[in-house]
C-alpha cells in the first residue's frame, strides 16, 4: 500500500514537472490585423491582390518561426478573410529552442488538403512528433484560422546545434537555408531545380527550387571565388538551363528583405552521367484502369492513351479528363515536354490541335487530390493518328476557335466560322473593322460584308439592321490572312448576331472642348424617357432634372449625369473646357520629342500647320518615308513638313489618319492631288513610327496654299523635267516635278 502511494505521488510529480517544461506558442490568423504578421496589406475590394504571398514570408513568436512559401498554381497562397489560405507550396514551423512535439491547427470550413510532412505524423489538422523543424508540403486547399505549437512536452530541451564554424559547409534544404541567419562565413550546400533563368544571362541569376521552397541565386560562379560574367561558358559546358537539377554552395544573404544565395559556386549537375532520364521503354504503358489501381509515386512514370474530355475553352494549364475503354482519370495540367513550363497549354493545343475529342498519348505520375485520382507532372507525347486528317478542300467552312484560327495557315480557299464578341469598333466605321474575341483569344476583322462577296463600305447599313455594336456576340465566316505580321480575318461576311450587346445609356460629345461642344444622350431603347442634370445631382430625384429631348450645347466645364427611366440605368460624363489650342510648326513638334505613344490624362490637342509631302510605308519613319503619292498603298498616315519640297526625313513628322471623314479627305492613296498642299491639323503630339508625330486628329483645314507654283531658278534647265531631289526624270514620271523652274503635279 505504501509503495503504491509513493509510486502514484511520484507519477503525479513527474507529470507536473513535464508540463512545467512544456511551452505553447499560438499564431492567430483570424485576427483583424493578422495580415501584418507577414508584412502584408489588408484585403480590399479595390485591390484583389492584397494579401497575396508572392515570396517566402515569415512571422516569429517566442522561439517559433512560421514561414510560408508562395504557390505556383492557379490560386495564390494568401492571408484572406480570417485565415491563412494555402493551395500549394510549403508551411515551415521551426523552433530555435525546444523541439516541437505537437502542432494543432484550427481550420476554416474543415479545409485540409492532401498534405504531407517531412517528419513525424501528420493527420487532418494535427501534427505530432519530435523535431526542431517541421516542413509541411501543401497538396491542396488548406485554410488555417489559428495554429498552436507545443514545445518540449514530455521531454527535455535538446542540446542546441553547435555554432557554425568559419568555412563550414552545411547541407540544407531551401527552407532551412531561408530560415538561417545571414553570414559570409557559413557556407550552405543546396540542391534544386533551376527556374526563371533568362536567355543569355552572363551572371547566372535564377531561382533554385526544391520540395521545401524557392530561393534566389544572385550569380553562379564556376568555382569558389571564380570570375564573374562567365556563366554562359559554365552553362554551355555543364548544360545548365531551366529545369536542370543542380547542386551549389553559397552564403545566406539578402537584398531589400529578399533572401539570396551570395558568392554561390557550382558543384554538380545532379545525376549527370549517373542517372539518365527514363527512356520510353522504361515508362510503364498502362490502361487508365491499371493507372487508377497503382500506388502513388513521383518516380514511376506511366504512358496513357485516351480521348480528351471536359477541356474548358482557354484553359492555360491543360486540365481535363482522359478516357479510354477501361475508365477515366483527371489530368492535372499538361506540359509540352517533361519538366516544361506551366501555363503554356494554349500554345501546345494550337500547335498540336488538342481539343475535346482528340485522342492523345501522355506520360505522368500517379497522384491524387483529396480522394480524387490525378495524373500529375503530365507531359505530351503525341496526338494519336496525327496527319490522318484530310486537307481542307476549297470553299470548305471549318468551325474554329479564334486560337485555332490564329494557328492556321494563310489561305483564301479555306473558310473559317468564328464566334465571338465585337470589340474596338469605332463609331461610324463604314467598312466594319473591329476585334473579335472569344475565350481563346482575339483577332482583327478587316472589314465585314453583309454577305459573301458583298459590296464594301456598307457596314453602317448592316450594323443598323442587325444591331452590331461593341459588346454584341456574332458569328462570321472568313479567310485566314495577315498584314505586316498582324493576323486578320479577310473577306469576312456576316452570319448571325448570337447575343445582343448589353443595354446601355450613352453620353457622347467632345470631352475636352475650346468654345462649346454638343452633347448627345442615347438611351438603350428609343422609346424610353431620359432625364439629365448638369450640376452633379441625381437626375432621378433632383429638382433640377431636365427631360432629354434633343442634343444640347454646353459652353463650360460640367458633368452630365443621365438616368433612363424605364430601364433604371445611369450614365455620366465630364466635359472640360480648355484654353484655346496652341498652334505649332512642324519644327516645334520635332523639338518637343514626345516619348508617349498615347495621350495622357489632361493632355491638350494642338493645331499643326505644314505641307503634305508623302507617306510612311514601314515600321519606322527613318526607314519607310516616301516623298511621293505614286504607289501609295496606305490610307492611314501622311508626312508633314514646313517646306513643300522637303525630302529630308529628319525635317518631317508622320500624321496618323483616323478612320472616317478625315482619312477619306486627306490620305494620298485616294487623294494623290493632296501632295504639296498646305493643311492645318488638330491632334495630340505623340510618338508615331518611332518619331515625333501627330495622332488622334479630329479636325483639319486646307489653307489654300499648294506650294507647287514655287519658282526654283536653279532647277530651270531648258525645260527638262526633274524630281524634288534634283534628278532628271522622263515624261512618264508621276508626282511633284520641276518643269521650267516651277513645281507641278504630274498624274
Amino acid at each position: 500500500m505504501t509503495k503504491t502511494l509513493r509510486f502514484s505521488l511520484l507519477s503525479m510529480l513527474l507529470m507536473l514537472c513535464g508540463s512545467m517544461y512544456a511551452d505553447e506558442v499560438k499564431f492567430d490568423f483570424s485576427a483583424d490585423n493578422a495580415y501584418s504578421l507577414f508584412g502584408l496589406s489588408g484585403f480590399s475590394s479595390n485591390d484583389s491582390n492584397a494579401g497575396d504571398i508572392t515570396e517566402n514570408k515569415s512571422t516569429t513568436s517566442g522561439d517559433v518561426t512560421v514561414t510560408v512559401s508562395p504557390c505556383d498554381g492557379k490560386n495564390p497562397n494568401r492571408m484572406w478573410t480570417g485565415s491563412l489560405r494555402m493551395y500549394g507550396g510549403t508551411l515551415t514551423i521551426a523552433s530555435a529552442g525546444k523541439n516541437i512535439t505537437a502542432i494543432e491547427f484550427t481550420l476554416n470550413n474543415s479545409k485540409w488538403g492532401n498534405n504531407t510532412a517531412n517528419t513525424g505524423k501528420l493527420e487532418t489538422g494535427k501534427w505530432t512528433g519530435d523535431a526542431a523543424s517541421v516542413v509541411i508540403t501543401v497538396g491542396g486547399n488548406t485554410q488555417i484560422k489559428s495554429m498552436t505549437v507545443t514545445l518540449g512536452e514530455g521531454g527535455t530541451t535538446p542540446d542546441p546545434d553547435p555554432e557554425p564554424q568559419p568555412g563550414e559547409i552545411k547541407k540544407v534544404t531551401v527552407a532551412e537555408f531561408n530560415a538561417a541567419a545571414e553570414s559570409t562565413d557559413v557556407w550552405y550546400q543546396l540542391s534544386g531545380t533551376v527556374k526563371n533563368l533568362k536567355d543569355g544571362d552572363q551572371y547566372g541569376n535564377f531561382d533554385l527550387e526544391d520540395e521545401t521552397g524557392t530561393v534566389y541565386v544572385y550569380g553562379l560562379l564556376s568555382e569558389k571565388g571564380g570570375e564573374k560574367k562567365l556563366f554562359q561558358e559554365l552553362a554551355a559546358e555543364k548544360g545548365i538551363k531551366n529545369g536542370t537539377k543542380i547542386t551549389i554552395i553559397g552564403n545566406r544573404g539578402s537584398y531589400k528583405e529578399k533572401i539570396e544565395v551570395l558568392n554561390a559556386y557550382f558543384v554538380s549537375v545532379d545525376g549527370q552521367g549517373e542517372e539518365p532520364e527514363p527512356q520510353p521503354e522504361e515508362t510503364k504503358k498502362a490502361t487508365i484502369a491499371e493507372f487508377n489501381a497503382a500506388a502513388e509515386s513521383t518516380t514511376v512514370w506511366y504512358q496513357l492513351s485516351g480521348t480528351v474530355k471536359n477541356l474548358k475553352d482557354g484553359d492555360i494549364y491543360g486540365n481535363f479528363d482522359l478516357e479510354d475503354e477501361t475508365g477515366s482519370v483527371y489530368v492535372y495540367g499538361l506540359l509540352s515536354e517533361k519538366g516544361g513550363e506551366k501555363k503554356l497549354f494554349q500554345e501546345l493545343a494550337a500547335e498540336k490541335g488538342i481539343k475535346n475529342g482528340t485522342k492523345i498519348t501522355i506520360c505522368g505520375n500517379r497522384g491524387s487530390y483529396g480522394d480524387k485520382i490525378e495524373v500529375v507532372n503530365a507531359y505530351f507525347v503525341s496526338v494519336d493518328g496525327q496527319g490522318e486528317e484530310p486537307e481542307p478542300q476549297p470553299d470548305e467552312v471549318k468551325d474554329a476557335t479564334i486560337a485555332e484560327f490564329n494557328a492556321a495557315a494563310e489561305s483564301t480557299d479555306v473558310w473559317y466560322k468564328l464566334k465571338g464578341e465585337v470589340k474596338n469598333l469605332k463609331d461610324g466605321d463604314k467598312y466594319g473593322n473591329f476585334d473579335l474575341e472569344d475565350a481563346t483569344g482575339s483577332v482583327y476583322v478587316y472589314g465585314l460584308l453583309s454577305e459573301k462577296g458583298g459590296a464594301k463600305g456598307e457596314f453602317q447599313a448592316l450594323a443598323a439592321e442587325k444591331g452590331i455594336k461593341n459588346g454584341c456576340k456574332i458569328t462570321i465566316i472568313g479567310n485566314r490572312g495577315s498584314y505586316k505580321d498582324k493576323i486578320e480575318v479577310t473577306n469576312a461576311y456576316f452570319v448571325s448576331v448570337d447575343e445582343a450587346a448589353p443595354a446601355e445609356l450613352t453620353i457622347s460629345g467632345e470631352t475636352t472642348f475650346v468654345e462649346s461642344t454638343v452633347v448627345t444622350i442615347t438611351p438603350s431603347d428609343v422609346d424610353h424617357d431620359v432625364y439629365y442634370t448638369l450640376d452633379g445631382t441625381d437626375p432621378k430625384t433632383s429638382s433640377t432634372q431636365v427631360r432629354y429631348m434633343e442634343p444640347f450645347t454646353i459652353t463650360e466645364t460640367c458633368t452630365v449625369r443621365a438616368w433612363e427611366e424605364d430601364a433604371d440605368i445611369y450614365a455620366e460624363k465630364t466635359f472640360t473646357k480648355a484654353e484655346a489650342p496652341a498652334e505649332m510648326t512642324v519644327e516645334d513638334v520635332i523639338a518637343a520629342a514626345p516619348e508617349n505613344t498615347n495621350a495622357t490624362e489632361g493632355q491638350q490637342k494642338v493645331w499643326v500647320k505644314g505641307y503634305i509631302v508623302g507617306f510612311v510605308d514601314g515600321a519606322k519613319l527613318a526607314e519607310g518615308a516616301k516623298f511621293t503619292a505614286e504607289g501609295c498603298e496606305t490610307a492611314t498616315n501622311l508626312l508633314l513638313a514646313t517646306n513643300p519640297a522637303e525630302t529630308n526625313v529628319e525635317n518631317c513628322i508622320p500624321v496618323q489618319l483616323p478612320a472616317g471623314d478625315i482619312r477619306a479627305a486627306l490620305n494620298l492613296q485616294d487623294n494623290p492631288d493632296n501632295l504639296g498642299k498646305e493643311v492645318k491639323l488638330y491632334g495630340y503630339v505623340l510618338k508615331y513610327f518611332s518619331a515625333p508625330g501627330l495622332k488622334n486628329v479630329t479636325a483639319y483645314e486646307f489653307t489654300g496654299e499648294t506650294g507647287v507654283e514655287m519658282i526654283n531658278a536653279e532647277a530651270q534647265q531648258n525645260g527638262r523635267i526633274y524630281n524634288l531631289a534634283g534628278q532628271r526624270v522622263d515624261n512618264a514620271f508621276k508626282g511633284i516635278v520641276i518643269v521650267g523652274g516651277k513645281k507641278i503635279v504630274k498624274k
Side-chain angles (χ1 to χ4, degrees), residues 129-186:
D130 188 2
S133 176
V134 181
V135 179
I136 297 174
T137 300
V138 177
N141 189 350
T142 298
Q143 301 180 16
I144 304 171
K145 296 179 68 175
S146 66
M147 182 173 64
T148 301
V149 181
T150 302
L151 304 175
E153 184 175 2
T156 59
T157 303
D159 293 333
D161 289 336
E163 287 296 318
Q165 301 302 309
E168 176 185 355
I169 298 176
K170 303 181 70 174
K171 290 185 178 180
V172 292
T173 65
V174 171
E176 292 168 338
F177 178 87
N178 289 336
E182 291 193 30
S183 173
T184 55
D185 292 328
V186 183

Side-chain angles (χ1 to χ4, degrees), residues 121-356:
K121 181 181 179 182
L122 184 64
E123 305 170 272
T124 300
K126 184 177 182 180
W127 176 91
T128 53
D130 188 2
S133 176
V134 181
V135 179
I136 297 174
T137 300
V138 177
N141 189 350
T142 298
Q143 301 180 16
I144 304 171
K145 296 179 68 175
S146 66
M147 182 173 64
T148 301
V149 181
T150 302
L151 304 175
E153 184 175 2
T156 59
T157 303
D159 293 333
D161 289 336
E163 287 296 318
Q165 301 302 309
E168 176 185 355
I169 298 176
K170 303 181 70 174
K171 290 185 178 180
V172 292
T173 65
V174 171
E176 292 168 338
F177 178 87
N178 289 336
E182 291 193 30
S183 173
T184 55
D185 292 328
V186 183
W187 296 82
Y188 296 90
Q189 181 171 308
L190 303 167
S191 298
T193 302
V194 175
K195 300 280 186 176
N196 302 318
L197 173 63
K198 295 181 179 179
D199 290 342
D201 183 347
Q202 60 180 334
Y203 291 94
N205 300 324
F206 54 85
D207 293 322
L208 189 69
E209 180 181 291
D210 69 4
E211 65 277 2
T212 70
T214 304
V215 68
Y216 183 68
V217 179
Y218 183 59
L220 183 64
L221 309 176
S222 59
E223 59 185 355
K224 187 174 182 179
E227 190 174 349
K228 298 179 180 179
K229 297 187 179 182
L230 297 180
F231 176 74
Q232 285 300 307
E233 296 179 12
L234 174 66
E237 178 187 351
K238 303 296 183 181
I240 302 173
K241 58 183 178 180
N242 284 317
T244 305
K245 295 182 179 181
I246 65 173
T247 296
I248 65 172
I249 291 175
N251 302 133
R252 163 65 160 83
S254 66
Y255 178 70
K256 292 184 179 180
E257 300 182 355
K258 180 179 181 180
I259 298 172
E260 295 180 345
V261 186
L262 301 179
N263 308 314
Y265 60 94
F266 173 79
V267 175
S268 66
V269 171
D270 298 345
Q272 192 175 52
E274 300 171 5
E275 295 181 35
E277 288 294 315
Q279 300 303 308
E281 61 268 22
E282 296 176 347
T283 301
K284 294 185 176 182
K285 290 185 179 180
T287 64
I288 292 176
E290 292 169 339
F291 177 86
N292 289 338
E296 290 193 31
S297 172
T298 56
T299 57
V300 181
W301 295 85
Y302 295 88
Q303 181 173 308
L304 305 171
S305 298
T307 303
V308 175
K309 300 280 187 177
N310 302 317
L311 173 63
K312 294 181 180 179
D313 289 343
D315 183 346
I316 63 175
Y317 292 94
N319 301 324
F320 54 86
D321 293 322
L322 190 69
E323 182 180 291
D324 68 5
E325 63 279 2
T326 69
S328 177
V329 68
Y330 184 69
V331 179
Y332 183 58
L334 184 64
L335 309 176
S336 59
E337 59 185 353
K338 189 172 184 180
E341 191 173 349
K342 298 179 180 179
K343 300 185 181 181
L344 298 180
F345 176 74
Q346 284 301 307
E347 296 180 13
L348 174 67
E351 177 187 351
K352 304 296 184 181
I354 302 173
K355 57 185 177 180
N356 284 316

